[in-house]
Amino acid sequence: MCVLGESRLEGYHGLAYRKLVEAGVNVGDTVEVSFGDESFVGRLMPRVESDDDSVVTIKLPNGYNIGLSVVDASVRLVSPAGGLHQQPPVEEAVGFGAGEYVALISTGGTIASRVEYETGAVRPALRASDLMSLVPELEGISRLKTQVLMSILSEDMKPAYWERIARAVYSELEAGAAGVVVAHGTDTMGYTAAALSFALRGVDRPIVLVGSQRSSDRPSSDAYTNLLCAVKFAKESFRPGVYVCMHASTSDPTCAVIPGVKVRKMHTSRRDAFKAVNTRPVAFVDRDKLVFLDESSKGYVVGGGVVFKPGFSDKAALIEYYPGFSLDILNWLAEKGYLGVVLAGTGLGHVSSELVDGIARLRRSGFLIYMTSQCLYGRVNMNVYTTGRRLLAAGVVPLGDMLPETAYVKLSWALANYPLEEVDGVMRSNLVGELSARSVYSGEWT
Ligand code: GLU
């Protein structure tokens, strides 16, 4: 059966539509757009920005989309999509053997959505057929089983949803997926990556979060490369653990695969926004190769056994300290029933010395307080200055080089899965690589 069997010219109007119909071209077909002696060959993409009805969008063989005006161009069908797609639509495919396929779970975000500009509505675009039209090369890498678990922007993510995602990932692993790819909005992808890292500790296969900074239907979207690399890593790396796979640089079609507890979105819009903090990526991937930076840890953890603890509490908080910060904020959290807070303090792990007595009182009342650094790179050391020493004496627990967000997710997880008196011990332990004994200079803060 052909994936793109239905005839369609999604989003095309006016001149572009007429020329495509005349040429017998559908979305997904390979076309040639010629301007005299210059011509472009690529796959016809759906068009969503309907402001200029003389433009067609094609995906070039290098993966980038370009918009071409057809006012002075001729359009020719090179090959129909059907000839290139031998497999059944993956959402309908049955009978995949264990390890033969990658499960792709969509949660929303730019990568999984198409914006209908006329209505402003966003709809999930992770049906197998949509994916295959976006990234036909996926067929050469792996069979896919797709599901749209939720369709939200990642700023709307919350601890209860982390649990839903963890359960969905776990059941795909139980069902025999070689690896799981989770398509996610980029804004809070690092939080979900940390959440899955704790919820599925000891997992024996790759779980890869992927997103895009520019939507898949825009020229120069990163969705295509990121998805291709994520599926390739999930199928071919045999590397256990939870990772984020996103563009490694602005121009290169290579993705960096970064541990889910040490990754951060460091730029609002660049395609290489995701950086490994206090560590290095584990691998670089492109369509042809997968290069590990750390050969020794490649391979399944035989008999490791996943410790599945998917619960997350909504009684944890994350607060960044700033000059002028009032103790009222921490007191309010405790009064409202929050059980603990991760502070992103200044420098080596400080807050104003005026807060120390109040913090000691809160700790004595059972409220948990952890210290990370808003510097992000490096680690807290609360033994260097008097303020740090006094905070330690007040019961604040330092968290080394743990990222503030990772510490917050870990606290939410620990509160849901351990008795309160064990939470400090859990927070201080390195469970999944979140707390390194020694920080690695990753040189990535420019
Ligand atoms: N802010 C939205 C989100 O994080 C869209 C941006 C994106 O997907 O990168 O889900």
Side-chain angles (χ1 to χ4, degrees), residues 108-111 152-155 184-188 212-213 265:
T110 298
I111 190 166
I152 63 170
L153 296 171
S154 75
E155 54 269 36
H184 198 286
T186 57
D187 286 2
T188 68
S212 67
Q213 289 279 73
K265 182 173 179 175

Side-chain angles (χ1 to χ4, degrees), residues 314-431:
D314 58 5
K315 292 295 175 235
L318 168 61
I319 305 236
E320 178 154 319
Y321 172 81
Y322 49 86
F325 183 92
S326 164
L327 188 66
D328 292 348
I329 293 169
L330 299 183
N331 286 336
W332 182 89
L333 285 173
E335 276 160 29
K336 289 288 173 194
Y338 284 81
L339 300 170
V341 65
V342 170
L343 292 172
T346 58
L348 291 167
H350 303 131
V351 296
S352 163
S353 53
E354 288 176 14
L355 302 178
V356 174
D357 291 343
I359 283 178
R361 260 195 314 279
L362 280 166
R363 264 307 293 213
R364 280 197 299 276
S365 73
F367 186 71
L368 304 173
I369 306 180
Y370 301 94
M371 185 62 76
T372 60
S373 176
Q374 54 194 246
C375 295
L376 307 177
Y377 288 91
R379 57 200 307 118
V380 297
N381 183 347
M382 299 172 69
N383 288 307
V384 178
Y385 294 97
T386 313
T387 316
R389 288 170 183 259
R390 291 186 60 212
L391 287 166
L392 285 177
V396 173
V397 175
L399 295 181
D401 69 339
M402 210 184 300
L403 279 170
E405 298 98 304
T406 295
Y408 158 67
V409 171
K410 186 178 182 184
L411 179 58
S412 163
W413 172 79
L415 288 170
N417 293 290
Y418 295 87
L420 205 58
E421 60 277 14
E422 287 180 27
V423 171
D424 275 355
V426 171
M427 292 300 288
R428 284 180 191 275
S429 319
N430 175 35
L431 300 182

Side-chain angles (χ1 to χ4, degrees), residues 83-306:
L84 298 173
H85 296 273
Q86 304 304 323
Q87 292 187 356
V90 284
E91 66 268 50
E92 287 172 20
V94 286
F96 290 169
E100 279 180 8
Y101 64 95
V102 167
L104 178 51
I105 298 172
S106 165
T107 67
T110 298
I111 190 166
S113 309
R114 274 197 189 129
V115 179
E116 286 161 344
Y117 287 88
E118 277 148 19
T119 61
V122 175
R123 66 173 171 77
L126 262 183
R127 289 169 306 164
S129 50
D130 290 316
L131 278 175
M132 291 302 181
S133 68
L134 280 175
V135 193
E137 289 87 340
L138 285 176
E139 279 184 16
I141 296 172
S142 180
R143 297 173 128 192
L144 291 179
K145 183 179 163 202
T146 63
Q147 67 166 291
V148 178
L149 180 67
M150 54 185 84
S151 189
I152 63 170
L153 296 171
S154 75
E155 54 269 36
D156 294 331
M157 203 47 80
K158 49 189 169 188
Y161 295 167
W162 297 335
E163 175 165 349
R164 270 178 69 190
I165 300 169
R167 288 188 183 283
V169 170
Y170 185 66
S171 58
E172 292 298 352
L173 293 173
E174 289 275 283
V180 181
V181 172
V182 178
H184 198 286
T186 57
D187 286 2
T188 68
M189 189 156 61
Y191 291 78
T192 302
L196 296 180
S197 305
F198 294 114
L200 290 137
R201 180 158 53 112
V203 68
D204 62 355
R205 279 159 279 170
I207 299 168
V208 190
L209 285 98
V210 67
S212 67
Q213 289 279 73
R214 323 237 168 105
S215 69
S216 52
D217 34 36
R218 285 176 190 276
S220 76
S221 167
D222 48 339
Y224 166 90
T225 298
N226 295 348
L227 198 51
L228 186 75
C229 294
V231 171
K232 187 175 172 77
F233 190 83
K235 184 71 183 346
E236 296 176 11
S237 74
F238 301 106
R239 168 96 187 214
V242 180
Y243 306 94
V244 162
C245 177
M246 293 287 289
H247 253 68
S249 73
T250 46
S251 54
D252 199 26
T254 301
C255 290
V257 181
I258 303 172
V261 283
K262 291 282 193 199
V263 64
R264 200 165 192 283
K265 182 173 179 175
M266 300 295 274
H267 198 280
T268 56
S269 56
R270 278 169 65 131
R271 288 187 288 188
D272 61 344
F274 282 81
K275 299 297 179 199
V277 178
N278 294 324
T279 190
R280 296 193 183 89
V282 298
F284 290 108
V285 195
D286 62 27
R287 74 175 71 192
D288 303 315
K289 60 185 183 309
L290 205 169
V291 178
F292 284 92
L293 272 68
D294 165 13
E295 281 294 327
S296 60
S297 50
K298 189 165 90 170
Y300 282 103
V301 174
V302 178
V306 59

